Amino acid sequence: MNRCVWIILNRNFEMMLDGEIDENQLKDKKFSPGGDIWTEELPVLKIADEQVQKEYDEFRNDILTLFLEPQVNEVFVNAKIGEESEYDNPSISTPLIIRKIEEYDVEEIIS
């Protein structure tokens, strides 16, 4: 099983994405806002500062918008380690940068 890790970021926040690549599709997605917290859904964080909360909610919505794009699999599957892609469209608040940082094979790690 081939898996990869990407960082999705904007000017204020970053989110890690770990996903399986199978038949040119991104599957079994796991998201992490940092540390050892991983979830199958984008984390909903509660932040005391209202402005920062608003900016995080926009970041989260921008990522959700990215995953609605028909070409989303191409963006992640075709990325090369160290490469950056920018995602921008009129329906998101701030452009997102997607950076592939690692590829690994679960079977190799287990054995």
Side-chain angles (χ1 to χ4, degrees):
M1 172 186 331
N2 292 323
R3 295 190 69 89
C4 300
V5 179
W6 299 265
I7 295 177
I8 303 169
L9 57 136
N10 70 9
R11 66 178 180 261
N12 298 315
F13 301 99
E14 68 179 44
M15 184 73 60
M16 293 185 71
L17 168 63
D18 179 292
E20 177 185 354
I21 303 293
D22 184 32
E23 298 177 7
N24 288 325
Q25 299 285 315
L26 177 59
K27 300 178 179 181
D28 188 33
K29 297 183 286 290
K30 308 279 193 251
F31 297 93
S32 175
D36 289 333
I37 300 169
W38 290 91
T39 179
E40 291 180 359
E41 297 189 18
L42 278 169
V44 177
L45 302 179
K46 298 298 176 193
I47 302 166
D49 183 299
E50 287 183 31
Q51 182 59 36
V52 175
Q53 179 69 55
K54 180 179 182 251
E55 291 172 3
Y56 176 77
D57 291 343
E58 288 173 352
F59 173 64
R60 188 176 177 280
N61 288 334
D62 291 346
I63 293 173
L64 290 171
T65 301
L66 166 65
F67 280 100
L68 292 175
E69 289 286 338
Q71 303 89 354
V72 71
N73 286 308
E74 293 174 30
V75 170
F76 289 97
V77 172
N78 295 335
K80 299 195 181 354
I81 291 180
E83 239 182 39
E84 288 187 351
S85 299
E86 182 177 272
Y87 171 71
D88 192 12
N89 86 33
S91 59
I92 67 170
S93 61
T94 305
L96 297 172
I97 302 295
I98 298 115
R99 183 182 306 141
K100 187 175 189 178
I101 59 172
E102 183 179 8
E103 295 177 350
Y104 65 98
D105 188 316
V106 174
E107 300 304 321
E108 288 180 16
I109 292 173
I110 293 172
S111 53

